[in-house]
Amino acid sequence: GGSIVTLTEKATPDLVDLLVQKNLYSTAISVAFSDPQFYCAEDITALYRQQAEHLYRKGYFAAAMVQYILTIGSLESSHVIFRYLDAPKILLAVKYLESLR
């Protein structure tokens, strides 16, 4: 009564998509970085933005800002600045603006 188990490796894009669906953005970004055949800089920046948006929605504003800073040059700065203009988050907006230099 033995059984045979077959393991198949997923293609990188399928693996990255699965990781994003599970909100495992850091791992998805690492996998994407490891396979430049499938992922260029713009693709990885898009993953940083997705992670930033996810963290922002969860209320982790400082962690989201770290990811937003990694998108400088590909994401409209106004998108980030307007999200952080209310009083409790204004210092994070300043951090972003300083990173624009």
Side-chain angles (χ1 to χ4, degrees):
S3 62
I4 297 175
V5 176
T6 305
L7 300 175
T8 56
E9 188 172 341
K10 289 190 172 288
T12 302
D14 295 336
L15 180 56
V16 169
D17 289 344
L18 179 64
L19 292 166
V20 168
Q21 288 173 14
K22 295 181 178 287
N23 298 322
L24 298 171
Y25 293 97
S26 295
T27 305
I29 291 165
S30 294
V31 170
F33 261 121
S34 72
D35 199 341
Q37 175 186 355
F38 288 106
Y39 291 92
C40 64
E42 294 84 20
D43 298 325
I44 293 170
T45 301
L47 291 171
Y48 284 131
R49 179 184 179 171
Q50 288 178 38
Q51 184 176 26
E53 299 289 338
H54 172 75
L55 292 167
Y56 188 93
R57 282 191 304 273
K58 294 286 189 178
Y60 300 114
F61 305 118
M65 180 55 70
V66 171
Q67 301 307 310
Y68 279 128
I69 288 170
L70 294 172
T71 69
I72 290 174
S74 67
L75 177 63
E76 287 294 324
S77 298
S78 60
H79 172 80
V80 177
I81 295 165
F82 285 125
R83 294 195 98 170
Y84 284 85
L85 282 181
D86 58 330
K89 296 178 274 190
I90 196 69
L91 291 177
L92 293 169
V94 170
K95 179 178 180 179
Y96 182 80
L97 290 168
E98 289 174 346
S99 296
L100 285 174
R101 293 193 236 166

